[in-house]
């Protein structure tokens, strides 16, 4: 159905523009819909229109940046998470991360991982590594602007195994096949670029970038990402 495909592509193209620049809360849903651009069906169009209805009802929302206390002024921090085997077709996991500054998100991503992760810990390694690359990028930009980050950037992670392997120099037999990513993550931590800290799953903001969530959890994570004051 060529007219349906063209309309679908126009809708998703417009939504992609918005979620790339101003609406991180749309990232996961639009990313899911983007997978069917070449051959959408009625169910995909229904999903796209549902996103449009959500957008119409939240048109007043946006990223809000505010001055931070002196101890946190111009300080980067972030969240990294993964949904293990979240893609039912390829069994690939979904990476989600968000980098924060001045109270709201400045960078975010939701994407399928390039390889099939054999465990949730492995999926988290890849997500934390991707977040580390993003953090490194922004640390270099801020240093050039005279806003050098004096301390390691804190990235909140809800998987203990990922955190332990980022700090532990011993590779266990179950993680031998992912040593390249683990070494990269360790190098970032050892060099003082980032520091993974444990956070509870209910407080993991990046969870909203990896899967569909119940409304209360989604709204709570959206409020943190976009610095929206809840009543």
């Amino acid at each position: 159905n060529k007219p349906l495909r063209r309309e679908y592509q126009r809708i998703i193209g417009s939504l992609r523009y918005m979620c790339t620049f101003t609406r991180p809360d749309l990232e996961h849903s639009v990313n899911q819909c983007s997978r069917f651009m070449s051959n959408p069906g009625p169910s995909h169009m229904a999903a796209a229109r549902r996103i449009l209805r959500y957008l119409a009802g939240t048109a007043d929302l946006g990223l809000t940046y505010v001055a931070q206390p002196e101890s946190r002024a111009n300080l980067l921090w972030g969240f990294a998470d993964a949904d293990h085997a979240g893609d039912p077709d390829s069994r690939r996991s979904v990476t989600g991360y968000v980098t924060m500054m001045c109270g709201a998100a400045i960078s975010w991503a939701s994407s399928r991982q390039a390889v099939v992760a054999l465990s949730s810990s492995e999926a988290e390694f890849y997500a934390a590594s991707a977040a580390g690359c993003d953090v490194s990028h922004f640390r270099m930009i801020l240093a050039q602007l005279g806003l050098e980050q004096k301390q390691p950037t804190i990235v909140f992670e809800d998987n203990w195994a990922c955190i332990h392997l980022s700090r532990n120099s011993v590779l266990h037999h179950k993680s031998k096949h992912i040593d390249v990513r683990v070494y990269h993550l360790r190098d970032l931590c050892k060099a003082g670029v980032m520091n993974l800290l444990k956070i509870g799953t209910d407080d993991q903001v990046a969870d909203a970038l990896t899967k569909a969530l119940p409304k209360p959890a989604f709204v709570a994570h959206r409020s943190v990402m976009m610095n929206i004051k809840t009543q």
Side-chain angles (χ1 to χ4, degrees), residues 195-209:
N195 183 23
L196 291 181
L197 292 184
K198 184 70 169 68
I199 192 172
T201 301
D202 291 343
D203 298 318
Q204 175 55 275
V205 172
D207 202 26
L209 301 174

Side-chain angles (χ1 to χ4, degrees), residues 151-162:
Q151 301 295 326
T153 298
I154 293 175
V155 175
F156 292 104
E157 168 64 56
D158 61 4
N159 185 280
W160 269 120
C162 176

Side-chain angles (χ1 to χ4, degrees), residues 27-224:
E27 180 71 18
H28 177 68
S29 56
V30 174
N31 181 58
Q32 294 292 106
C33 289
S34 297
R35 300 175 184 177
F36 306 97
M37 295 282 275
S38 62
N39 188 27
S43 61
H44 305 124
M45 179 59 78
R49 287 173 175 163
R50 183 177 181 182
I51 298 175
L52 289 176
R53 290 195 297 271
Y54 165 76
L55 191 60
T58 58
D60 58 333
L61 299 185
L63 295 167
T64 303
Y65 300 102
V66 296
Q68 299 292 295
E70 185 175 350
S71 60
R72 294 183 54 82
N74 302 312
L75 189 67
L76 285 175
W77 78 99
F79 302 86
D81 195 28
D83 180 27
H84 182 227
D87 187 331
D89 298 321
S90 66
R91 306 311 295 172
R92 293 183 181 180
S93 302
V94 178
T95 283
Y97 67 79
V98 55
T99 304
M100 310 279 292
M101 183 176 175
C102 294
I106 60 172
S107 178
W108 53 87
S110 174
S111 62
R112 281 185 297 183
Q113 296 178 357
V115 298
V116 176
L118 301 182
S119 67
S120 59
S121 298
E122 181 179 346
E124 298 284 354
F125 293 148
Y126 296 135
S129 179
C133 291
D134 198 57
V135 164
S136 298
H137 170 71
F138 280 103
R139 285 174 68 97
M140 288 189 291
I141 292 177
L142 291 172
Q144 293 174 1
L145 295 174
L147 301 173
E148 182 179 0
Q149 305 292 291
K150 303 294 186 181
Q151 301 295 326
T153 298
I154 293 175
V155 175
F156 292 104
E157 168 64 56
D158 61 4
N159 185 280
W160 269 120
C162 176
I163 295 173
H164 287 320
L165 281 174
S166 74
R167 301 171 180 174
N168 191 343
S169 61
V170 177
L171 274 179
H172 302 286
H173 69 282
K174 291 185 178 180
S175 61
K176 288 179 180 178
H177 60 293
I178 53 172
D179 59 347
V180 173
R181 287 285 185 174
V182 174
Y183 277 130
H184 171 65
L185 187 57
R186 287 180 186 158
D187 287 344
L188 291 176
C189 294
K190 186 176 180 180
V193 173
M194 65 182 289
N195 183 23
L196 291 181
L197 292 184
K198 184 70 169 68
I199 192 172
T201 301
D202 291 343
D203 298 318
Q204 175 55 275
V205 172
D207 202 26
L209 301 174
T210 66
K211 64 176 76 71
L213 296 174
K215 183 177 179 179
F218 174 78
V219 170
H221 296 331
R222 181 187 68 185
S223 298
V224 177

Side-chain angles (χ1 to χ4, degrees), residues 4-12 33 36 40 44-45:
L4 174 67
R5 183 171 70 249
R6 287 183 174 177
E7 182 183 0
Y8 186 81
Q9 290 172 344
R10 284 196 295 267
I11 292 174
I12 299 304
C33 289
F36 306 97
H44 305 124
M45 179 59 78

